[in-house]
Amino acid sequence: MKSRKLSGTRRRVTILGAAATSVVAGVALLPNWSAGAAVVDDPTVDARTKATFQRLADAVFTDRTDALVTGAQGDRDKPLANGFSGDVKLSSGTARTEDATLSSLGQRKDKLAKAGEKYSEATTTVTLNATRVTGRTAKADVTETTTLTYAQARGNAPKTTGFQATHELTFRADRNGDWQLTTIRDTDQGGLAVNTLSKPVSVKTATTADDTMPNAPRAATTRNPVAVPKTGTAYDYKAMAAYAEKYVYTYNKDYPDYNNHTAGGDCTNFVSQSLKAGGWKHVPGYVYDYTKWFGNADIQSDSFVGVNEWSWFAQNSKRTTPLANVYQLEVGDVLQMDFDRDGSKDHTMIVTAKSNGVPYVTYHSNNTLRRSVASLVSSYPTAYFYAYRT
């Protein structure tokens, strides 16, 4: 088994409730706190133990990111929270799962490279948000924030891409108070982080389509199509992109936040806000009427927040026209995906940059900044894509 290599990845650990005493090679080293002495009754999780949970989470997600940069795999044969008298490590089952994940991410790295997508380095920060303990089981909610640097970015091409992802980690303690990480569960709607291998969740809205709904044509994903430059001047496309990049990680409090919501995620709500910032005007009316479009802090039409309803409004209103190929998208245009190819769209994104013929999209659920369309096509080769000129 290969030992962990972090040459391509810089790690930064955010520790809540405990202070790191030193930093070596970018890795926070903690005092020799016990992760839990031998106990007879159920263990407790204090600030020191939470710090070990966080450090282990950081090691896991940094290894995943590193697999995309260098293809390296971590060492699963030793505890990942070294320096503690009580070990905190991956369970044998989780270690096998993570080994498989890192192997698959290494394969994704090679596949992305063939599509022209390479990363030279990355930074990963893990923040512990909350911990819940029931008996010998602890569940920790964490936020992973990762920035990847594009290798050999040329001209006006984005230098970096990044994302935020939320996870729930389950730990179980033995009679000696030693904890093992037994489960890692992604908690975002959509699941479109570049280092996530789980199948994206297909989010369907309640409205049922019928033959009267405008049906968007699928877009091809072949490289180097005939260019279709933008000629319209009705909207401010730079303002759309600027809004999206401003609020990709910090949500605008003037609108509801539908991330991790039963309504199906925040992706379309976010894109609608960006379009509004660039000049799209409200069309007031009945909330469930897809020919209407409006949204503010108090009320939003289905077409403002729903993936399919937005598509129906956009086409019916003539505010968009379909593009034959995803690589024809320009700044301010919109890209949608249907993960399971059932004809009902699942995800909405907006283009915030384009360089060397490649559009870069920004989206919510997972919160992602400037991910290349080449990366999406390579990572989800069986999905259907829909491209809209705004």
Side-chain angles (χ1 to χ4, degrees):
M1 207 168 282
K2 298 179 181 178
S3 43
R4 178 176 308 151
K5 295 168 60 180
L6 295 174
S7 58
T9 305
R10 298 191 304 274
R11 175 182 299 175
R12 182 161 62 91
V13 185
T14 302
I15 298 173
L16 305 181
T21 59
S22 62
V23 176
V24 179
V27 181
L29 300 182
L30 305 178
N32 188 22
W33 287 327
S34 171
V39 294
V40 176
D41 298 324
D42 291 342
T44 59
V45 177
D46 58 15
R48 296 170 179 177
T49 306
K50 290 178 182 178
T52 69
F53 288 174
Q54 186 166 17
R55 190 178 180 199
L56 179 56
D58 175 79
V60 167
F61 295 119
T62 298
D63 279 350
R64 288 188 183 185
T65 305
D66 198 50
L68 287 171
V69 178
T70 67
Q73 292 196 25
D75 184 353
R76 303 297 173 208
D77 292 332
K78 62 183 180 180
L80 293 180
N82 296 324
F84 295 85
S85 58
D87 292 337
V88 179
K89 61 183 180 180
L90 275 66
S91 68
S92 58
T94 303
R96 288 192 296 270
T97 299
E98 282 302 301
D99 282 341
T101 297
L102 294 179
S103 177
S104 295
L105 286 171
Q107 295 173 23
R108 174 174 286 185
K109 168 187 171 290
D110 295 338
K111 190 174 182 180
L112 290 173
K114 291 180 181 179
E117 181 97 352
K118 295 182 180 180
Y119 309 117
S120 60
E121 62 179 11
T123 59
T124 293
T125 301
V126 174
T127 302
L128 181 64
N129 302 319
T131 305
R132 304 173 302 283
V133 182
T134 305
R136 295 184 175 278
T137 300
K139 292 185 180 293
D141 298 327
V142 303
T143 298
E144 168 200 2
T145 303
T146 290
T147 300
L148 293 147
T149 300
Y150 286 116
Q152 300 176 338
R154 296 175 294 167
N156 64 342
K159 301 300 186 291
T160 62
T161 180
F163 64 87
Q164 283 183 333
T166 58
H167 313 276
E168 181 189 74
L169 279 59
T170 301
F171 297 85
R172 299 190 188 279
D174 62 20
R175 283 290 177 179
N176 293 320
D178 293 333
W179 293 90
Q180 290 191 349
L181 174 58
T182 59
T183 307
I184 302 172
R185 184 175 69 88
D186 299 332
T187 54
D188 292 296
Q189 295 275 4
L192 282 177
V194 69
N195 71 348
T196 297
L197 295 174
S198 57
K199 183 179 179 181
V201 177
S202 296
V203 180
K204 310 304 180 186
T205 49
T207 304
T208 302
D210 58 39
D211 292 340
T212 68
M213 307 299 187
N215 186 25
R218 285 169 47 198
T221 58
T222 52
R223 296 293 290 263
N224 301 315
V226 176
V228 184
K230 280 195 168 184
T231 58
T233 57
Y235 303 118
D236 187 340
Y237 301 112
K238 289 184 179 180
M240 293 177 183
Y243 180 96
E245 296 193 353
K246 178 179 180 180
Y247 291 107
V248 61
Y249 296 141
T250 305
Y251 286 29
N252 188 344
K253 300 300 184 183
D254 291 336
Y255 296 91
D257 173 3
Y258 291 109
N259 196 25
N260 297 321
H261 191 277
T262 55
D266 198 67
C267 62
T268 307
N269 180 41
F270 174 63
V271 168
S272 288
Q273 294 171 35
S274 303
L275 295 171
K276 184 178 172 182
W280 275 38
K281 302 299 182 184
H282 282 172
V283 182
Y286 185 47
V287 165
Y288 304 112
D289 183 350
Y290 75 84
T291 68
K292 311 302 179 185
W293 184 86
F294 53 90
N296 54 36
D298 300 317
I299 189 171
Q300 304 81 39
S301 64
D302 278 5
S303 60
F304 200 90
V305 300
V307 181
N308 290 286
E309 291 84 350
W310 180 89
S311 175
W312 299 334
F313 169 80
Q315 296 171 88
N316 181 75
S317 64
K318 308 301 182 185
R319 289 189 182 182
T320 67
T321 54
L323 292 167
N325 190 294
V326 296
Y327 287 98
Q328 293 172 328
L329 289 159
E330 301 285 344
V331 171
D333 290 340
V334 173
L335 178 66
Q336 291 189 319
M337 294 175 65
D338 173 9
F339 300 128
D340 52 11
R341 303 193 298 182
D342 66 351
S344 181
K345 301 166 191 65
D346 301 301
H347 189 53
T348 309
M349 300 158 279
I350 188 166
V351 178
T352 59
K354 186 171 185 179
S355 179
N356 301 313
V358 178
Y360 295 80
V361 292
T362 296
Y363 54 88
H364 276 179
S365 310
N366 301 103
N367 305 330
T368 296
L369 174 68
R370 294 184 177 183
R371 183 173 182 179
S372 76
V373 166
S375 170
L376 287 170
V377 170
S378 179
S379 299
Y380 305 98
T382 62
Y384 286 163
F385 290 81
Y386 301 85
Y388 304 81
R389 168 59 44 82
T390 60

